[in-house]
Amino acid sequence: MTGPDPVSLWHRLADTCVLLDGFHALKHAVRFGAEVPVAVAVDRGAALALAEELAPDVRDTLVALLMQIPEPAYASLVPRPHPTAVAALAVRPSRAAHLEKLAHTPRTAPVVVLDNPRNLGNAGAVIRLAAGFGATGVVTTGTLDPWHPTVVRGGAGLHFATAVERLTVAELPPGPVFALDPEGDDIRGVKLPDDAVLAFGSERSGLSPELRARAGHLVALPMRPQVSSYNLATSVAMTLYHWSLGGS
């Protein structure tokens, strides 16, 4: 093997980079322009075959990036081994650039706000959804780090396809705030504009008083009586789908 030892390089960079856990996270990060200084695989040939099958657009990039290391070395680098036995480190995008993107108007797609989310996996699933719908970004309030490795794993590396940042309610991007609330107007009769800020409360306690006060519109998803709630990612998916239809 030529070049720097990947394990030594990994240890030098781990504290300042984002963990990409698994082939699909690496694939998406590369596809959306992430800077990846080190990528490893237990079976480089198998990983490149997977790229040939599922992501031929990034195969040449992965040929240049991926370095093979023994399984024990790989296992020492990640919290828990991924079935694809692939991992990488990526440079976190510029916060200033993300804030500029979030603040820019007019927008062509909404910003999703997760108000005091608690579940790391749910936050990752929301980021994956938002990227798929082409949302401008995902903002979290509260203590959860949206770039936590578990969130990035849940988002399958799609943090690099949208602007993901943590802000206070006072720092939210401009635009009309539509907050999801069971007491709100039925969303099926509401048109969500492209510059909307779509706010979702935490999985347990709903919207914070600060976010509720900021909201200009409360909207509710259709729900059968006696069903208590939807999963957070499901709620975001339903709302973004309604927005994508372009009408009320």
Side-chain angles (χ1 to χ4, degrees):
M1 179 172 57
T2 60
D5 169 46
V7 175
S8 298
L9 181 59
W10 185 288
H11 287 303
R12 289 204 302 271
L13 298 173
D15 289 342
T16 58
C17 284
V18 177
L19 172 64
L20 300 175
D21 196 5
F23 171 82
H24 299 290
L26 174 60
K27 169 194 73 177
H28 281 136
V30 168
R31 184 173 282 163
F32 289 98
E35 180 185 346
V36 180
V38 57
V40 298
V42 172
D43 187 337
R44 183 174 181 273
L48 293 177
L50 199 59
E52 184 66 37
E53 178 185 0
L54 301 178
D57 57 308
V58 300
R59 185 186 182 281
D60 288 348
T61 302
L62 296 185
V63 167
L65 278 176
L66 275 172
M67 293 180 278
Q68 184 160 312
I69 61 174
E71 193 281 332
Y74 160 75
S76 74
L77 301 179
V78 295
R80 55 191 174 105
H82 190 275
T84 58
V86 171
L89 295 176
V91 176
R92 180 167 170 171
S94 160
R95 177 175 170 85
H98 275 180
L99 294 180
E100 182 179 357
K101 180 179 179 181
L102 291 167
H104 179 77
T105 56
R107 286 193 296 267
T108 58
V111 172
V112 172
V113 175
L114 304 183
D115 187 32
N116 287 303
R118 295 287 184 263
N119 186 285
L120 296 167
N122 280 348
V126 167
I127 291 165
R128 188 171 185 172
L129 277 166
F133 274 99
T136 296
V138 177
V139 169
T140 64
T141 70
T143 59
L144 183 143
D145 176 10
W147 286 87
H148 186 283
T150 302
V151 183
V152 178
R153 182 177 178 127
L158 284 163
H159 283 60
F160 295 88
T162 189
V164 177
E165 291 296 337
R166 177 168 51 179
L167 301 172
T168 66
V169 171
E171 295 170 330
L172 290 181
V177 178
F178 291 77
L180 275 289
D181 185 272
E183 303 304 317
D185 297 326
D186 190 318
I187 197 171
R188 290 172 291 186
V190 177
K191 178 177 173 59
L192 300 176
D194 292 345
D195 64 348
V197 176
L198 305 175
F200 301 82
S202 72
E203 297 89 343
R204 290 187 178 181
S205 56
L207 296 166
S208 67
E210 296 81 8
L211 198 295
R212 186 181 291 274
R214 175 76 182 267
H217 313 268
L218 295 179
V219 293
L221 295 169
M223 185 182 298
R224 180 181 178 180
Q226 299 182 311
V227 175
S228 59
S229 66
Y230 294 122
N231 173 272
L232 177 61
T234 299
S235 297
V236 175
M238 294 171 70
T239 304
L240 286 174
Y241 181 72
H242 177 74
W243 161 75
S244 75
L245 296 178
S248 59

